[in-house]
Amino acid sequence: MTKPIKIVFIGAGNVAWSLAPALDILPNVEVVQVVARSVESARTVTNRLSRAVASSSLMDIDTSADLYVIAVGDSQVGTVARQLSGINNGAIWVHTSGSVLLEVLSPLGDNIGVFYPMQTFSKGRQVDIRKVPFFIEGMRPEVAASLECLASQVSDSVSILSGDDRMVLHAAAVFACNFTNHLLAISSDILSSRGISLEVMKTLVEESVDKAFSSGPDNGQTGPARRGDISTINRHAELIGPPYSELYKTLSNSIINRFKDWSR
Amino acid sequence: MTKPIKIVFIGAGNVAWSLAPALDILPNVEVVQVVARSVESARTVTNRLSRAVASSSLMDIDTSADLYVIAVGDSQVGTVARQLSGINNGAIWVHTSGSVLLEVLSPLGDNIGVFYPMQTFSKGRQVDIRKVPFFIEGMRPEVAASLECLASQVSDSVSILSGDDRMVLHAAAVFACNFTNHLLAISSDILSSRGISLEVMKTLVEESVDKAFSSGPDNGQTGPARRGDISTINRHAELIGPPYSELYKTLSNSIINRFKDWSR
């Protein structure tokens, strides 16, 4: 029997909360420690693990692990890497971000990689990790191969992707996820001005998303902008008023421009 | 046993294709005719009905019906209403649009109403009508009551809504549905520049929408703009390039403004 892979998580945010248990449950993996700003914060994650220790200082980091997962805010990754650069134990170091370059981990040597699960995680919200696409990068091919093997044990969709492509992927994810969510927030505002709940949109949005993925978003596009119906666009913008009437016009124009060369 | 309600559809587009069969299948309803620009077009709908006749001219309209459903393009509703204004048989006349005022049907008398199923319909794509919210308006209360009763037989969600509120609802639906779909189209473009399929976003988008409806879109917002991460925003905009880099910045700023008064 091989020795289990020992993993330390640095950070106890949404990603660690969702990812650490998915790894810890694997038979050949043991998450041994979660280091966060406070022990309480670290415990929100270790409570979900079989035997990991909660720590509040990078000084207390377990130096015997095989893999260190830096799951902190994007702007903190470099700082953490520099603070831990003294440890030289041959382990692999990864971050989990869509938008941080691999090279930010360089202070840690060349056993470095990226282990990016593309999902919107929130503490307290269970996600089926098996369906989450993982994107892997490694400074050395052996690192990439090890990470790919590990990711394949938790997810059905694992790809090796260059840093440059990962940035583009992340930008596309911002459109598909964060911006879409923002549109729902605006829709909710507009509805609540008339005492209507966003809930009324659920069937429409789900069908719209379903249709986009099955037939392609352009084929399923409908609505005033798709029809070039300027009078409805102007009436809507007037009804909505600031601050979102301008965004309504901008997005409508963007749709009109997209389709202007298409035959109807 | 009461006589069935006889219905004529004017128009054979996406709405008629989806709505006519849902009504025709009711035990007390019979869709007797579909009038469209061509017989072939009308047949795409009558093929889905038990015994409706396909017609290509408003001159041939069956004047013995109880309800006329004008399911044509928004800009055509008024024209159709004027062309049919000679018929004065006591029937109810409705249109099915989110963005056309009830008053556009005035040439047809005061037995007029709106029968608006809020969904994105496409021919060939089955939709569960029972989950589609219907919004009803009637020039007279009796008309609204009749339409509400009919809608309740096909849908679990029927509301009476003023024309003004319906316009606002429609504007909110454009944000939630058409604009969201446009963002997926852009996301798909960005991905295809790197040979990646939009399919990779499916889990992320579905989770994002699910989370928005269960916890509220603002509570679940994540991403660079939510974190105020200007350097990632600028890097993304540069990677995306025209024509969508400007939209990326506009939407990011809109998110930043939305959260600027919130504590993180």
Side-chain angles (χ1 to χ4, degrees):
Chain A
M1 199 162 151
T2 53
K3 268 175 59 183
I5 301 168
K6 290 166 70 176
I7 302 181
V8 169
F9 268 79
I10 298 133
N14 297 329
V15 173
W17 192 90
S18 299
L19 181 58
L23 291 168
D24 194 48
I25 210 172
L26 294 175
N28 60 332
V29 167
E30 198 179 312
V31 177
V32 293
Q33 186 183 32
V34 176
V35 187
R37 287 205 182 129
S38 70
V39 173
E40 292 68 37
S41 168
R43 282 207 185 110
T44 62
V45 176
T46 57
N47 285 343
R48 294 168 52 75
L49 306 174
S50 62
R51 69 185 97 183
V53 173
S55 306
S56 63
S57 167
L58 289 178
M59 308 288 286
D60 300 330
I61 200 162
D62 182 335
T63 56
S64 72
D66 306 293
L67 172 65
Y68 294 82
V69 179
I70 303 174
V72 300
D74 286 2
S75 59
Q76 296 303 306
V77 176
T79 312
V80 168
R82 283 188 297 276
Q83 287 183 298
L84 293 172
S85 60
I87 304 173
N88 201 332
N89 62 355
I92 293 177
W93 299 81
V94 297
H95 73 67
T96 58
S97 167
S99 51
V100 173
L101 290 171
L102 170 58
E103 289 69 24
V104 170
L105 298 182
S106 301
L108 294 161
D110 59 359
N111 276 337
I112 55 176
V114 177
F115 198 78
Y116 169 46
M118 192 180 68
Q119 182 54 286
T120 169
F121 294 111
S122 295
K123 278 190 183 184
R125 203 175 149 84
Q126 295 291 344
V127 162
D128 182 359
I129 296 273
R130 193 140 282 286
K131 290 188 182 158
V132 174
F134 278 68
F135 297 93
I136 302 297
E137 190 183 2
M139 182 63 88
R140 299 190 302 117
E142 306 89 297
V143 171
S146 296
L147 295 173
E148 189 180 21
C149 174
L150 182 64
S152 300
Q153 292 176 65
V154 294
S155 167
D156 293 333
S157 166
V158 179
S159 315
I160 293 188
L161 202 69
S162 73
D164 194 44
D165 282 357
R166 177 163 41 81
M167 297 297 145
V168 171
L169 179 76
H170 188 234
V174 169
F175 270 99
C177 167
N178 305 144
F179 289 169
T180 290
N181 188 62
H182 185 52
L183 296 184
L184 294 179
I186 296 170
S187 189
S188 177
D189 282 5
I190 296 170
L191 291 169
S192 72
S193 74
R194 302 292 167 131
I196 303 171
S197 153
L198 179 65
E199 188 65 23
V200 85
M201 292 291 164
K202 193 158 190 268
T203 302
L204 177 62
V205 174
E206 286 175 351
E207 165 67 7
S208 180
V209 165
D210 221 54
K211 189 159 73 170
F213 280 102
S214 66
S215 337
D218 287 324
N219 294 319
Q221 187 60 292
T222 59
R226 177 67 183 95
R227 294 192 300 270
D229 178 352
I230 306 295
S231 76
T232 297
I233 290 169
N234 288 336
R235 182 143 27 89
H236 278 173
E238 203 177 307
L239 273 171
I240 293 165
Y244 294 121
S245 48
E246 279 310 306
L247 190 56
Y248 183 95
K249 285 187 188 173
T250 302
L251 285 162
S252 293
N253 284 330
S254 183
I255 293 174
I256 290 169
N257 286 332
R258 188 172 182 89
F259 287 100
K260 74 175 171 221
D261 300 325
W262 293 40
S263 60
R264 288 282 302 274
Chain B
M1 200 160 148
T2 52
K3 268 175 60 184
I5 302 167
K6 290 166 69 176
I7 303 182
V8 169
F9 268 79
I10 297 131
N14 297 330
V15 174
W17 192 91
S18 298
L19 182 57
L23 292 169
D24 194 49
I25 210 171
L26 295 175
N28 61 333
V29 168
E30 198 179 310
V31 177
V32 293
Q33 186 184 32
V34 175
V35 188
R37 287 204 181 130
S38 70
V39 173
E40 292 68 38
S41 169
R43 281 206 186 113
T44 62
V45 177
T46 57
N47 285 342
R48 295 169 50 76
L49 306 174
S50 63
R51 69 185 97 183
V53 173
S55 306
S56 64
S57 167
L58 289 177
M59 307 289 287
D60 300 330
I61 200 162
D62 182 337
T63 56
S64 73
D66 305 293
L67 173 64
Y68 293 82
V69 179
I70 302 174
V72 299
D74 286 3
S75 59
Q76 295 303 306
V77 176
T79 312
V80 168
R82 283 187 298 276
Q83 287 182 300
L84 293 172
S85 60
I87 303 173
N88 200 334
N89 63 354
I92 294 177
W93 298 80
V94 297
H95 72 67
T96 58
S97 166
S99 51
V100 173
L101 291 170
L102 170 57
E103 288 69 24
V104 170
L105 298 182
S106 302
L108 294 160
D110 58 359
N111 277 337
I112 55 176
V114 177
F115 198 79
Y116 169 45
M118 191 178 70
Q119 183 52 286
T120 170
F121 294 111
S122 295
K123 279 190 183 184
R125 204 176 147 82
Q126 296 292 346
V127 162
D128 182 1
I129 296 273
R130 193 141 283 286
K131 290 187 183 161
V132 174
F134 277 68
F135 296 94
I136 301 297
E137 189 183 0
M139 182 62 88
R140 300 188 305 116
E142 304 90 300
V143 171
S146 295
L147 295 173
E148 189 180 22
C149 173
L150 181 64
S152 300
Q153 292 175 65
V154 295
S155 168
D156 292 333
S157 166
V158 179
S159 314
I160 293 188
L161 202 68
S162 73
D164 193 44
D165 282 356
R166 178 163 41 80
M167 296 298 144
V168 170
L169 178 77
H170 188 234
V174 169
F175 270 99
C177 168
N178 306 143
F179 290 169
T180 289
N181 188 63
H182 184 54
L183 296 185
L184 294 179
I186 296 170
S187 189
S188 178
D189 282 5
I190 295 170
L191 290 170
S192 72
S193 75
R194 303 292 167 130
I196 303 172
S197 154
L198 180 63
E199 188 66 22
V200 86
M201 292 291 165
K202 192 159 189 267
T203 303
L204 177 62
V205 174
E206 285 175 353
E207 165 66 8
S208 180
V209 166
D210 221 54
K211 188 159 73 169
F213 281 102
S214 66
S215 336
D218 287 325
N219 294 319
Q221 188 59 290
T222 58
R226 176 68 183 93
R227 294 192 299 270
D229 179 352
I230 306 295
S231 75
T232 298
I233 291 170
N234 288 336
R235 182 143 28 88
H236 278 173
E238 203 177 307
L239 273 171
I240 294 165
Y244 294 121
S245 48
E246 279 309 306
L247 190 55
Y248 182 96
K249 285 186 187 173
T250 302
L251 285 162
S252 293
N253 284 330
S254 183
I255 293 175
I256 290 169
N257 286 331
R258 186 172 183 90
F259 286 100
K260 72 174 171 216
D261 301 325
W262 293 41
S263 60
R264 292 276 306 273

PDB file of all heavy atoms in Angstrom, chain B residues 215-230:
ATOM      1  N   SER B 215     -30.329  32.188  -3.322  1.00  0.00           N
ATOM      2  CA  SER B 215     -29.803  33.093  -2.273  1.00  0.00           C
ATOM      3  C   SER B 215     -29.872  34.568  -2.651  1.00  0.00           C
ATOM      4  O   SER B 215     -29.460  35.422  -1.873  1.00  0.00           O
ATOM      5  CB  SER B 215     -28.346  32.766  -1.954  1.00  0.00           C
ATOM      6  OG  SER B 215     -27.992  31.464  -2.266  1.00  0.00           O
ATOM      7  N   GLY B 216     -30.338  34.876  -3.861  1.00  0.00           N
ATOM      8  CA  GLY B 216     -30.349  36.273  -4.313  1.00  0.00           C
ATOM      9  C   GLY B 216     -29.063  36.565  -5.065  1.00  0.00           C
ATOM     10  O   GLY B 216     -27.975  36.198  -4.603  1.00  0.00           O
ATOM     11  N   PRO B 217     -29.157  37.232  -6.219  1.00  0.00           N
ATOM     12  CA  PRO B 217     -27.969  37.443  -7.056  1.00  0.00           C
ATOM     13  C   PRO B 217     -26.868  38.244  -6.364  1.00  0.00           C
ATOM     14  O   PRO B 217     -25.686  37.953  -6.563  1.00  0.00           O
ATOM     15  CB  PRO B 217     -28.496  38.178  -8.286  1.00  0.00           C
ATOM     16  CG  PRO B 217     -29.953  38.407  -8.089  1.00  0.00           C
ATOM     17  CD  PRO B 217     -30.398  37.711  -6.854  1.00  0.00           C
ATOM     18  N   ASP B 218     -27.208  39.238  -5.556  1.00  0.00           N
ATOM     19  CA  ASP B 218     -26.147  40.038  -4.931  1.00  0.00           C
ATOM     20  C   ASP B 218     -25.354  39.225  -3.917  1.00  0.00           C
ATOM     21  O   ASP B 218     -24.128  39.353  -3.829  1.00  0.00           O
ATOM     22  CB  ASP B 218     -26.743  41.284  -4.270  1.00  0.00           C
ATOM     23  CG  ASP B 218     -27.176  42.324  -5.297  1.00  0.00           C
ATOM     24  OD1 ASP B 218     -26.494  42.445  -6.330  1.00  0.00           O
ATOM     25  OD2 ASP B 218     -28.195  42.990  -5.073  1.00  0.00           O
ATOM     26  N   ASN B 219     -26.027  38.375  -3.173  1.00  0.00           N
ATOM     27  CA  ASN B 219     -25.323  37.575  -2.167  1.00  0.00           C
ATOM     28  C   ASN B 219     -24.332  36.604  -2.784  1.00  0.00           C
ATOM     29  O   ASN B 219     -23.322  36.282  -2.169  1.00  0.00           O
ATOM     30  CB  ASN B 219     -26.325  36.795  -1.317  1.00  0.00           C
ATOM     31  CG  ASN B 219     -27.185  37.718  -0.483  1.00  0.00           C
ATOM     32  OD1 ASN B 219     -26.673  38.686   0.062  1.00  0.00           O
ATOM     33  ND2 ASN B 219     -28.469  37.444  -0.404  1.00  0.00           N
ATOM     34  N   GLY B 220     -24.627  36.123  -3.967  1.00  0.00           N
ATOM     35  CA  GLY B 220     -23.748  35.136  -4.584  1.00  0.00           C
ATOM     36  C   GLY B 220     -22.730  35.730  -5.534  1.00  0.00           C
ATOM     37  O   GLY B 220     -21.964  35.002  -6.156  1.00  0.00           O
ATOM     38  N   GLN B 221     -22.686  37.050  -5.657  1.00  0.00           N
ATOM     39  CA  GLN B 221     -21.771  37.632  -6.657  1.00  0.00           C
ATOM     40  C   GLN B 221     -20.310  37.368  -6.269  1.00  0.00           C
ATOM     41  O   GLN B 221     -19.939  37.475  -5.094  1.00  0.00           O
ATOM     42  CB  GLN B 221     -22.027  39.139  -6.819  1.00  0.00           C
ATOM     43  CG  GLN B 221     -21.247  39.789  -7.967  1.00  0.00           C
ATOM     44  CD  GLN B 221     -21.544  39.191  -9.348  1.00  0.00           C
ATOM     45  OE1 GLN B 221     -21.163  38.050  -9.650  1.00  0.00           O
ATOM     46  NE2 GLN B 221     -22.225  39.930 -10.189  1.00  0.00           N
ATOM     47  N   THR B 222     -19.514  36.981  -7.256  1.00  0.00           N
ATOM     48  CA  THR B 222     -18.076  36.761  -7.065  1.00  0.00           C
ATOM     49  C   THR B 222     -17.361  37.408  -8.261  1.00  0.00           C
ATOM     50  O   THR B 222     -18.001  38.073  -9.069  1.00  0.00           O
ATOM     51  CB  THR B 222     -17.739  35.248  -7.021  1.00  0.00           C
ATOM     52  OG1 THR B 222     -18.175  34.640  -8.240  1.00  0.00           O
ATOM     53  CG2 THR B 222     -18.410  34.555  -5.843  1.00  0.00           C
ATOM     54  N   GLY B 223     -16.071  37.207  -8.357  1.00  0.00           N
ATOM     55  CA  GLY B 223     -15.348  37.672  -9.543  1.00  0.00           C
ATOM     56  C   GLY B 223     -14.557  38.953  -9.321  1.00  0.00           C
ATOM     57  O   GLY B 223     -14.668  39.590  -8.281  1.00  0.00           O
ATOM     58  N   PRO B 224     -13.762  39.330 -10.338  1.00  0.00           N
ATOM     59  CA  PRO B 224     -12.852  40.466 -10.199  1.00  0.00           C
ATOM     60  C   PRO B 224     -13.557  41.776  -9.844  1.00  0.00           C
ATOM     61  O   PRO B 224     -13.079  42.519  -8.979  1.00  0.00           O
ATOM     62  CB  PRO B 224     -12.194  40.573 -11.590  1.00  0.00           C
ATOM     63  CG  PRO B 224     -12.417  39.271 -12.250  1.00  0.00           C
ATOM     64  CD  PRO B 224     -13.621  38.642 -11.635  1.00  0.00           C
ATOM     65  N   ALA B 225     -14.688  42.082 -10.483  1.00  0.00           N
ATOM     66  CA  ALA B 225     -15.353  43.361 -10.219  1.00  0.00           C
ATOM     67  C   ALA B 225     -15.887  43.390  -8.785  1.00  0.00           C
ATOM     68  O   ALA B 225     -15.775  44.394  -8.086  1.00  0.00           O
ATOM     69  CB  ALA B 225     -16.484  43.597 -11.225  1.00  0.00           C
ATOM     70  N   ARG B 226     -16.433  42.279  -8.329  1.00  0.00           N
ATOM     71  CA  ARG B 226     -16.945  42.218  -6.956  1.00  0.00           C
ATOM     72  C   ARG B 226     -15.828  42.451  -5.945  1.00  0.00           C
ATOM     73  O   ARG B 226     -16.047  43.038  -4.889  1.00  0.00           O
ATOM     74  CB  ARG B 226     -17.612  40.847  -6.716  1.00  0.00           C
ATOM     75  CG  ARG B 226     -18.105  40.615  -5.300  1.00  0.00           C
ATOM     76  CD  ARG B 226     -19.274  41.535  -4.979  1.00  0.00           C
ATOM     77  NE  ARG B 226     -19.757  41.425  -3.615  1.00  0.00           N
ATOM     78  CZ  ARG B 226     -19.335  42.197  -2.617  1.00  0.00           C
ATOM     79  NH1 ARG B 226     -18.390  43.100  -2.833  1.00  0.00           N
ATOM     80  NH2 ARG B 226     -19.846  42.067  -1.428  1.00  0.00           N
ATOM     81  N   ARG B 227     -14.611  41.988  -6.286  1.00  0.00           N
ATOM     82  CA  ARG B 227     -13.460  42.169  -5.391  1.00  0.00           C
ATOM     83  C   ARG B 227     -12.784  43.520  -5.604  1.00  0.00           C
ATOM     84  O   ARG B 227     -11.818  43.839  -4.906  1.00  0.00           O
ATOM     85  CB  ARG B 227     -12.414  41.075  -5.652  1.00  0.00           C
ATOM     86  CG  ARG B 227     -12.828  39.664  -5.315  1.00  0.00           C
ATOM     87  CD  ARG B 227     -11.629  38.708  -5.323  1.00  0.00           C
ATOM     88  NE  ARG B 227     -10.971  38.631  -6.629  1.00  0.00           N
ATOM     89  CZ  ARG B 227     -11.287  37.768  -7.586  1.00  0.00           C
ATOM     90  NH1 ARG B 227     -12.275  36.906  -7.400  1.00  0.00           N
ATOM     91  NH2 ARG B 227     -10.634  37.751  -8.724  1.00  0.00           N
ATOM     92  N   GLY B 228     -13.256  44.276  -6.605  1.00  0.00           N
ATOM     93  CA  GLY B 228     -12.608  45.546  -6.936  1.00  0.00           C
ATOM     94  C   GLY B 228     -11.196  45.337  -7.472  1.00  0.00           C
ATOM     95  O   GLY B 228     -10.309  46.180  -7.298  1.00  0.00           O
ATOM     96  N   ASP B 229     -10.985  44.244  -8.160  1.00  0.00           N
ATOM     97  CA  ASP B 229      -9.651  43.857  -8.628  1.00  0.00           C
ATOM     98  C   ASP B 229      -9.391  44.473 -10.009  1.00  0.00           C
ATOM     99  O   ASP B 229      -9.539  43.835 -11.052  1.00  0.00           O
ATOM    100  CB  ASP B 229      -9.597  42.322  -8.665  1.00  0.00           C
ATOM    101  CG  ASP B 229      -8.282  41.778  -9.162  1.00  0.00           C
ATOM    102  OD1 ASP B 229      -7.430  42.565  -9.631  1.00  0.00           O
ATOM    103  OD2 ASP B 229      -8.110  40.541  -9.104  1.00  0.00           O
ATOM    104  N   ILE B 230      -8.975  45.751  -9.992  1.00  0.00           N
ATOM    105  CA  ILE B 230      -8.831  46.528 -11.227  1.00  0.00           C
ATOM    106  C   ILE B 230      -7.779  45.949 -12.161  1.00  0.00           C
ATOM    107  O   ILE B 230      -7.928  45.965 -13.382  1.00  0.00           O
ATOM    108  CB  ILE B 230      -8.474  48.006 -10.911  1.00  0.00           C
ATOM    109  CG1 ILE B 230      -9.502  48.609  -9.942  1.00  0.00           C
ATOM    110  CG2 ILE B 230      -8.406  48.841 -12.175  1.00  0.00           C
ATOM    111  CD1 ILE B 230     -10.896  48.734 -10.481  1.00  0.00           C
TER     112      ILE B 230
END
